[in-house]
Amino acid sequence: AQTVTQSQPEMSVQEAETVTLSCTYDTSESDYYLFWYKQPPSRQMILVIRQEAYKQQNATENRFSVNFQKAAKSFSLKISDSQLGDAAMYFCASTRARGGSNYKLTFGKGTLLTVNP
Amino acid sequence: NAGVTQTPKFQVLKTGQSMTLQCAQDMNHNSMYWYRQDPGMGLRLIYYSASEGTTDKGEVPNGYNVSRLNKREFSLRLESAAPSQTSVYFCASSADRGTKTQYFGPGTRLLVL
């Protein structure tokens, strides 16, 4: 079984500054994937970034990067040079990487990010 | 390339009515999923389908049925809607191989009175 915990229900950041969203997880799987999804007011779930647990190197996508601490089971998202369009709900999620047929995502409860001009 | 599409976008039902939510994907994915999103709860899996002709229950299947009509389409049916089924419903699909990344439809907002 997997659990994902986001301990910050809400965060705010000034435009152009950097913010870090926290996520911790627990899993019995030896290999798994971790994701951050963004959900703007339109409700569309948009993939921001993914991390493969067997890779030690932290994933980056433009202004978005993660700090993946496998031993601590921590997977935080850093947004640099925050923009107004980054305002959204952010969900951390995990799935196992192999075995069986159900690769369901286990989601945290989300962090609502506000970007102040 | 539309990705994952869902219909309808919004629906109001009375308690006891039935309806089917439709989902289709054009990415040739084997796996498809139905989630519901409630305030403060994140997304929870209702049903999934690993391939055409197979379906299985997720965390919250009670009150729902699904049909994997073909590789592209995966529908969710509420036989007798209840106010507790008021939610936003998301369909997703993923490939079996590689990163297992799920791609989501735009969601269906359902209100049961």
Side-chain angles (χ1 to χ4, degrees):
Chain A
Q2 300 187 358
T3 61
V4 176
T5 303
Q6 293 179 249
S7 58
Q8 306 153 315
E10 296 184 27
M11 292 281 285
S12 64
V13 64
Q14 291 296 126
E15 196 175 3
E17 295 191 346
T18 296
V19 64
T20 298
L21 308 184
S22 301
C23 173
T24 57
Y25 64 92
D26 196 10
T27 180
S28 56
E29 303 290 336
S30 58
D31 196 11
Y32 49 92
Y33 293 103
L34 297 165
F35 304 88
W36 279 97
Y37 281 89
K38 168 186 177 180
Q39 187 179 42
S42 66
R43 288 203 193 93
Q44 178 73 52
M45 294 289 286
I46 302 165
L47 176 69
V48 174
I49 200 165
R50 65 172 163 250
Q51 175 78 42
E52 298 164 64
Y54 68 88
K55 287 188 176 178
Q56 294 187 344
Q57 186 174 2
N58 289 326
T60 62
E61 286 288 341
N62 301 314
R63 296 182 296 106
F64 298 87
S65 61
V66 298
N67 183 3
F68 174 46
Q69 302 287 330
K70 191 171 184 178
K73 294 184 177 178
S74 171
F75 182 61
S76 60
L77 175 70
K78 186 170 85 170
I79 306 174
S80 304
D81 186 25
S82 296
Q83 301 176 359
L84 295 177
D86 295 333
M89 183 72 87
Y90 286 81
F91 290 97
C92 180
S94 69
T95 187
R96 60 190 171 84
R98 63 187 76 249
S101 59
N102 182 3
Y103 296 103
K104 71 157 191 161
L105 286 169
T106 299
F107 285 88
K109 293 185 178 182
T111 297
L112 181 62
L113 179 66
T114 302
V115 181
N116 300 310
Chain B
N1 189 339
V4 181
T5 58
Q6 290 183 236
T7 56
K9 285 187 170 54
F10 175 65
Q11 184 74 45
V12 179
L13 290 179
K14 295 181 179 177
T15 296
Q17 287 185 319
S18 63
M19 79 162 293
T20 300
L21 281 64
Q22 306 286 354
C23 173
Q25 52 92 9
D26 62 4
M27 295 176 281
N28 202 36
H29 287 162
N30 281 327
S31 297
M32 297 185 74
Y33 305 83
W34 277 106
Y35 294 89
R36 62 177 285 172
Q37 182 181 23
D38 301 300
M41 296 291 289
L43 277 75
R44 293 180 293 167
L45 183 68
I46 305 171
Y47 270 94
Y48 70 97
S49 171
S51 62
E52 183 179 349
T54 69
T55 62
D56 213 336
K57 296 177 180 179
E59 299 171 64
V60 288
N62 291 344
Y64 305 95
N65 286 301
V66 290
S67 296
R68 183 74 182 267
L69 305 169
N70 47 56
K71 191 170 186 177
R72 290 187 63 247
E73 298 172 289
F74 187 38
S75 62
L76 178 72
R77 182 161 178 83
L78 287 71
E79 292 291 350
S80 179
S84 61
Q85 294 177 305
T86 293
S87 190
V88 180
Y89 292 85
F90 287 96
C91 178
S93 72
S94 69
D96 292 341
R97 300 183 181 188
T99 63
K100 312 294 190 293
T101 300
Q102 290 189 20
Y103 297 91
F104 286 82
T108 294
R109 183 166 162 247
L110 177 65
L111 176 62
V112 183
L113 302 175

